[in-house]
Amino acid sequence: GQQLNQSPQSMFIQEGEDVSMNCTSSSIFNTWLWYKQDPGEGPVLLIALYKAGELTSNGRLTAQFGITRKDSFLNISASIPSDVGIYFCAGQLRETSGSRLTFGEGTQLTVNP
Amino acid sequence: EPEVTQTPSHQVTQMGQEVILRCVPISNHLYFYWYRQILGQKVEFLVSFYNNEISEKSEIFDDQFSVERPDGSNFTLKIRSTKLEDSAMYFCASSRDRGFVDTQYFGPGTRLTVL
């Protein structure tokens, strides 16, 4: 099956710093999504990307869909303590509607006040 | 804001017992999904469901698993004879297809513990 490599696995940063994480795949996806998961909760959608090359922002978050359709990155600017959590990328092939999401391994973000 | 809900939040069962996990998807959504997440690991796809039938399933979704939409609002995952390795968080998700928009929204999950 398709595999996503997400890096880094974990990050420890100071409040106010910018953060960058990325996902790469050996095969293409038609949709990239970024989710955040807090402990004991479900993934919450942050940003969805539907076209190769697309750059989308949501507040302090910016994500891009790579031109090759095999990668995506997420940037968080001016981090705050509530940014703590696990960030997952997910790719979707969308050959048919309702197709599965393939998730990356996650990036554990810790923000020190 | 509409959201996916799941019950129970935590289910403890003995190995070999049957469990049913319940989900109420977002009301105007057409596609429904189950995913699982073993502790400390990534989220894995189990099954997708549309128009009262399975549209896609993973290799994890074997004969021990089944899904059903018994009425207009609930979507259930049944595990017939639970194993220790079924212990995980189970997430329900739903999406709609209105042209290009097919984003999946997740519920809070059910933590299944098999003893």
Side-chain angles (χ1 to χ4, degrees), chain B residues 2 25-32 95-98:
Chain B
I26 295 173
S27 63
N28 64 339
H29 283 187
L30 304 176
Y31 296 87
F32 315 113
S95 70
R96 61 192 173 112
D97 190 6
R98 294 288 184 263

Side-chain angles (χ1 to χ4, degrees), chain A residues 21 23 36 41-42 51-52 63 69 71 73 77 92-93 109:
Chain A
M21 57 192 79
C23 270
K36 182 186 178 214
E41 298 185 15
K51 290 194 294 189
R69 295 198 286 163
D71 62 301
F73 72 74
S77 63
Q92 187 180 34
L93 191 53
L109 178 64

Side-chain angles (χ1 to χ4, degrees), chain B residues 16-100:
Chain B
Q17 294 295 305
E18 174 183 287
V19 294
I20 297 176
L21 310 183
R22 292 183 165 80
C23 167
V24 178
I26 295 173
S27 63
N28 64 339
H29 283 187
L30 304 176
Y31 296 87
F32 315 113
Y33 313 81
W34 284 101
Y35 291 80
R36 80 169 185 193
Q37 184 180 33
I38 295 170
L39 185 63
Q41 298 186 21
K42 66 181 177 182
V43 178
E44 301 173 289
F45 170 79
L46 292 177
V47 65
S48 59
F49 191 86
Y50 170 70
N51 199 26
N52 282 319
E53 59 183 29
I54 291 173
S55 51
E56 187 181 4
K57 61 182 181 179
S58 72
E59 56 281 357
I60 302 170
F61 194 87
D62 61 22
D63 292 345
Q64 293 298 311
F65 292 89
S66 62
V67 289
E68 192 178 29
R69 189 155 162 81
D71 52 43
S73 59
N74 289 285
F75 178 52
T76 62
L77 173 70
K78 183 194 293 187
I79 309 175
R80 262 180 273 283
S81 178
T82 50
K83 309 186 198 69
L84 295 176
E85 55 265 37
D86 292 329
S87 294
M89 283 288 285
Y90 288 81
F91 295 107
C92 174
S94 68
S95 70
R96 61 192 173 112
D97 190 6
R98 294 288 184 263
F100 204 43

Side-chain angles (χ1 to χ4, degrees), chain A residues 3-4 30 33 35 37 40-43 45 48 50-51 88 92 94 96-101 103-105, chain B residues 31 33 35 37 41-43 45 48 55-59 89 91 97 99-108:
Chain A
Q3 297 283 332
L4 290 187
N30 295 327
L33 306 113
Y35 289 86
Q37 185 179 31
E41 298 185 15
L45 181 68
Y50 299 107
K51 290 194 294 189
F88 288 99
Q92 187 180 34
R94 279 182 58 89
T96 58
S97 297
S99 54
R100 70 172 72 187
L101 296 181
F103 280 82
E105 301 283 346
Chain B
Y31 296 87
Y33 313 81
Y35 291 80
Q37 184 180 33
Q41 298 186 21
K42 66 181 177 182
V43 178
F45 170 79
S48 59
S55 51
E56 187 181 4
K57 61 182 181 179
S58 72
E59 56 281 357
M89 283 288 285
F91 295 107
D97 190 6
F100 204 43
V101 179
D102 189 24
T103 306
Q104 295 179 29
Y105 293 90
F106 284 75

Side-chain angles (χ1 to χ4, degrees), chain A residues 21-78:
Chain A
M21 57 192 79
N22 70 85
C23 270
T24 59
S25 171
S26 57
S27 53
I28 64 171
F29 288 105
N30 295 327
T31 301
W32 281 93
L33 306 113
W34 286 91
Y35 289 86
K36 182 186 178 214
Q37 185 179 31
D38 291 328
E41 298 185 15
V44 174
L45 181 68
L46 298 174
I47 291 182
L49 302 156
Y50 299 107
K51 290 194 294 189
E54 180 180 355
L55 182 72
T56 297
S57 293
N58 178 9
R60 294 179 295 106
L61 277 58
T62 302
Q64 183 155 32
F65 189 150
I67 290 177
T68 65
R69 295 198 286 163
K70 292 183 179 180
D71 62 301
S72 177
F73 72 74
L74 174 71
N75 288 341
I76 305 173
S77 63

